[in-house]
Amino acid sequence: MRHILSILVENEAGALSRVAGLFSARGYNIESLTVAPTEDATMSRMTIVTTGSDEIVEQITKQLNKLVDVVKVVDLSEGRHIERELMLVKVRAAGKDREEMKRTADIFRGRIIDVTDKSYTIELTGTTDKLDAFLEALDKGAILETVRTGVSGIGRGEWVLKA
Amino acid sequence: MELKLPPLAETGETLTGAEIAIRCLQEEGVEFVFGYPGGAVLFIYDALFKQKKVKHILVRHEQGALHAADGYARATGRCGVALVTSGPGVTNAVTGIATAYMDSIPMVVITGQVPTRAIGEDAFQECDTVGITRPCVKHNFLVKDVNELAITIKKAFHIASTGRPGPVLVDIPKDVSQQSAKFHYPEKIHLRSYSPVVKGHSGQIKKAVHLLQDAKRPMIYVGGGAILGEASQEVTELVRLLDFPCTSTLMGLGAFPASDKRFVGMLGMHGTVEANMAMQNCDVLLAVGARFDDRVIGNPAHFAAGNAGRKIVHIDVDPSSISKRVRVDVPIVGHVKDVLGELLGLLKASREKPDSAALAAWWAQIAGWRAKDCLKYDRQSKIIKPQFVIEKLWEVTKGDAYVTSDVGQHQMWAAQFYKFEKPRRWINSGGLGTMGVGLPYAMGVKLAFPKADVACVTGEASVQMCIQELSTCKQYHLPVKLVNLNNRYMGMVRQWQEFFHGNRYAESYMDALPDFVKLAEAYGHVGLRVEKPGDVEGALREAFALKDRLVFLDIITDQTENVFPMVPGGKGMSEMILAEDL
Ligand SMILES: Cc1ncc(C[n+]2csc(CCOP(=O)(O)OP(=O)(O)O)c2C)c(N)n1
Ligand SMILES: [Mg+2]
C-alpha cells in the first residue's frame, strides 16, 4: 500500500540524512521525498511517499519518531488529504506536432512556460496519477526531459500538523 | 531543537571550549573518561591535565576506550564517557560505539574534529564523524559554535541516559575547543522533539492483569530492558507473586535470580529446553524489556504458527521494539519499572487469583522438559570441559562476581553455567556480538567496583582482539581475572562448520597462538596454565586470592566440545539440537 508521511523535523544540519539513512538502513522504500522550510524557521516539513504493508509502515512511523530531530510524523493517507506534485516536462514540439502538444497540455491544465521553435516546456501540477497520465498521453519520443518534485501533502479541513 | 533555558547566569565564567567540555563532565559527575589523545583533542587534554575531578584512563586502542566506558556503564547504570581524536581515533572507536548502540548502553562520546574552516577539505585526520557514526548512535552533534558547546553536551547526556538509552556523540572541531565563551551549564533541558514515554497506559495495564490472571500456561520473558530500566526488583516480585515460570534473554540474565526454582534458564538459540518449550507452548506471554530478536525466538513465523492462541503482553520503553518481529496483543509503552510497579499494585489489590490447578499442570509439564537435563555434560572427562570451569568459577566466586565475556562458545557457557543472582553482573555484547569486549569491559567494571571480583571469561581468539589493554590494566592496577577457555579454535565458528558445513573447518583453527602465560608476564601480570580438570579449582582460588594482581588463566579445554542446546538459524525455537541427538 502507498502511504504519504508528513514529517516535521528540526531545521538542523543532518536531519535529512538521518531520515534518508533510516530508510536505506532498514530497507524501506522511498518513492519520493520532498523537504522545505515551514512558516516556523526552526522546522522543515518533509513529505515522504512510501510503500509497504501496514506492519512496515507502522515500523517506519515508529522509527521516524525515534529520531531525535523528528518533531512529528503523520500518515496523511490515513485521513482525508490533498496531495500535489509539480512536474516540468520539456517536449519536442515542432511542425505539425506543435499544435497537438499544446492541446494535450491544455486538457491536463498544463502551462507552457518556455518555448523554442522546436520545444515546449510544460508545467503541470496535480496528483501523481494525473502527472503519470499526462506522460502516458504524450508520444514517448516527444519527451525530452522530465523533472518532478515528488508529492507534497496536507490534511483536509481545519486540522493542521503542528509541533 | 528548541530549548527552554533557565535565565543565563550573568556571572558565567569565560572558559575555552576545551575547559567547557571538561567542566560539563564535572557537572555531570563523571568519574572516568576513557580515551586516547591526538591533534584534534589536544586542547581538551590540556584542560583535563589542569584538573583532578575527572580521571582519564589512557587505553591502548580507541576500541578499548569505548568498550571500557561501555562496561562501566553496564555495571553502574551511569553514562560511560569516552574521548578520542579525529579521523583514525574515530574510526577505531566505531566498533565500540556500535556495540553500545546495539545493546542500548548510555554513553557520551566526545570526538575531536579538524578545525571548522578545514572541514570538507580532506584535511589531515579528517573524517565525516557525524556521517560515519550516524547509523550507530542514538544521536550525534557537530558543534560549530563554542557558545553551543555546554548545552550540546547537556543534551548529549540527557538523550543518552533517558528513554531507551544509547550512545550519543559530540564532535568538537579543534578551533571550537580553543575559542572562549561564557560557561553556563543548564540544570534541565527540554527538547520538543524528544520526550520518551514513562508511564504506561493504565487501560493496557489492566488488560495485562486480566490476561495474567486468566492464564493457564503463563510465561514471563525478561530482556536486557529490565536491567537497563532497573526493574529487577519488580520482575522478581511479580514472578514470585504469581508463581509463574520466568526465562531471560542473554542480556536479561540477573534480572531475576537464577537460583529461584521459577527460573527456567536462558532462552533462545542456546537456551534450555524448558525455557524454549515453555515460550513456544505458553498461552499468555509477558515480555518485559525484550525484543523477540532472531537469536531469541528464531523464526518468527514458526513462533507464531506453532501456537496461534498465545496472547502476548509486551512492555517496553521503545515503541518500535513492539510488534516489530512478533505481533503482540497488549502493547504497553513505558518505563518497565513504572509499568511493572503499576501492574503489581493491581495484582495485589485484585481478589482474583490465577487458576492454581492449571498452573500446577503447567509446572508439571515444565518439569518434564527440565528432566531432559539439557545442559548435562561429561563430568568424568579427563580433558577440561569448559562448562566445568564456569561451574567452578561460580563456586569460587560464590556466584557474586562481575563476569564479563567475549563472543563465542565460552560466552554461551558462561551465560548457561554462571548462575547470576543480581542485575548488572553479567556484562557482554549481545546485539553486535563483538569479539574483544571482554577485557576492556572488565577494566570498566573494575574501575567502578575496585573491591569486587571481576572475571573475564574469554576465548583464545577473542582475547587477542583487545589484548593490548593488558598494558592499561598494569598502568591503573586493575587486578581482573581472565579465564581463557583455550580450545585452540574459534569454537563457535568451528561448531557451525561442524553442524552446517560438513566439518570443513575453514580458517577457524587458531594456529600460532602466543604463550599466554609469558604474554601476561610480559605485560607485568601473572599467568597460569591449567591443563587438568583436577587443577581448575585450585588455579581459580589462587587467582582470586592474588587480590592485587591481574591473573591470566590459560585453561586448555576440550577442542571438540559444543554448545547445546542449539536452535539452528532460521528454525523455530522448539527445533533444538541436543547433545544426545548427535
Ligand atoms: C569482531 C568479530 N569478528 C568475528 C566474529 C565472528 N565470531 C563469532 S564467535 C567467533 C570465534 C570466537 O573464538 P574464541 O574467542 O576462541 O571463542 P570460542 O568460541 O572458541 O569459545 C567468531 C570469529 C565476531 N563475533 N566478532
Ligand atoms: Mg576458542
Side-chain angles (χ1 to χ4, degrees), chain B residues 460 485 487 489-491:
Chain B
E460 78 297 327
L485 299 180
N487 52 8
Y489 268 105
M490 297 173 193

PDB file of all heavy atoms in Angstrom, chain B residues 460 485 487 489-491, ligand 2:
ATOM      1  N   GLU B 460      40.586 -17.892  23.314  1.00  0.00           N
ATOM      2  CA  GLU B 460      41.922 -17.516  22.845  1.00  0.00           C
ATOM      3  C   GLU B 460      41.869 -16.661  21.586  1.00  0.00           C
ATOM      4  O   GLU B 460      42.790 -15.909  21.303  1.00  0.00           O
ATOM      5  CB  GLU B 460      42.793 -18.763  22.651  1.00  0.00           C
ATOM      6  CG  GLU B 460      42.557 -19.564  21.388  1.00  0.00           C
ATOM      7  CD  GLU B 460      41.167 -20.151  21.296  1.00  0.00           C
ATOM      8  OE1 GLU B 460      40.592 -20.500  22.348  1.00  0.00           O
ATOM      9  OE2 GLU B 460      40.638 -20.263  20.170  1.00  0.00           O
ATOM     10  N   LEU B 485      39.185 -19.754  28.081  1.00  0.00           N
ATOM     11  CA  LEU B 485      38.809 -21.124  27.743  1.00  0.00           C
ATOM     12  C   LEU B 485      39.445 -21.424  26.386  1.00  0.00           C
ATOM     13  O   LEU B 485      38.879 -21.144  25.334  1.00  0.00           O
ATOM     14  CB  LEU B 485      37.290 -21.272  27.695  1.00  0.00           C
ATOM     15  CG  LEU B 485      36.582 -20.976  29.024  1.00  0.00           C
ATOM     16  CD1 LEU B 485      35.073 -21.145  28.876  1.00  0.00           C
ATOM     17  CD2 LEU B 485      37.108 -21.878  30.143  1.00  0.00           C
ATOM     18  N   ASN B 487      40.448 -23.386  23.550  1.00  0.00           N
ATOM     19  CA  ASN B 487      40.157 -24.608  22.794  1.00  0.00           C
ATOM     20  C   ASN B 487      40.871 -24.619  21.444  1.00  0.00           C
ATOM     21  O   ASN B 487      40.569 -25.423  20.578  1.00  0.00           O
ATOM     22  CB  ASN B 487      38.639 -24.778  22.603  1.00  0.00           C
ATOM     23  CG  ASN B 487      37.991 -23.530  22.027  1.00  0.00           C
ATOM     24  OD1 ASN B 487      38.681 -22.590  21.642  1.00  0.00           O
ATOM     25  ND2 ASN B 487      36.677 -23.522  21.977  1.00  0.00           N
ATOM     26  N   TYR B 489      40.534 -23.077  18.967  1.00  0.00           N
ATOM     27  CA  TYR B 489      39.634 -22.879  17.836  1.00  0.00           C
ATOM     28  C   TYR B 489      38.774 -21.653  18.079  1.00  0.00           C
ATOM     29  O   TYR B 489      38.487 -21.302  19.226  1.00  0.00           O
ATOM     30  CB  TYR B 489      38.667 -24.076  17.694  1.00  0.00           C
ATOM     31  CG  TYR B 489      39.172 -25.158  16.778  1.00  0.00           C
ATOM     32  CD1 TYR B 489      39.664 -26.356  17.303  1.00  0.00           C
ATOM     33  CD2 TYR B 489      39.136 -24.999  15.396  1.00  0.00           C
ATOM     34  CE1 TYR B 489      40.122 -27.359  16.468  1.00  0.00           C
ATOM     35  CE2 TYR B 489      39.595 -26.001  14.560  1.00  0.00           C
ATOM     36  CZ  TYR B 489      40.084 -27.181  15.090  1.00  0.00           C
ATOM     37  OH  TYR B 489      40.522 -28.163  14.252  1.00  0.00           O
ATOM     38  N   MET B 490      38.368 -21.047  16.999  1.00  0.00           N
ATOM     39  CA  MET B 490      37.226 -20.148  17.088  1.00  0.00           C
ATOM     40  C   MET B 490      36.055 -21.104  17.254  1.00  0.00           C
ATOM     41  O   MET B 490      35.389 -21.484  16.288  1.00  0.00           O
ATOM     42  CB  MET B 490      37.067 -19.340  15.806  1.00  0.00           C
ATOM     43  CG  MET B 490      38.231 -18.428  15.508  1.00  0.00           C
ATOM     44  SD  MET B 490      37.973 -17.706  13.889  1.00  0.00           S
ATOM     45  CE  MET B 490      39.595 -17.028  13.632  1.00  0.00           C
ATOM     46  N   GLY B 491      35.857 -21.487  18.486  1.00  0.00           N
ATOM     47  CA  GLY B 491      34.978 -22.620  18.763  1.00  0.00           C
ATOM     48  C   GLY B 491      33.582 -22.481  18.175  1.00  0.00           C
ATOM     49  O   GLY B 491      33.022 -23.432  17.624  1.00  0.00           O
TER      50      GLY B 491
HETATM   51 MG    MG C   2      38.393 -20.653  21.153  1.00  0.00          MG
END
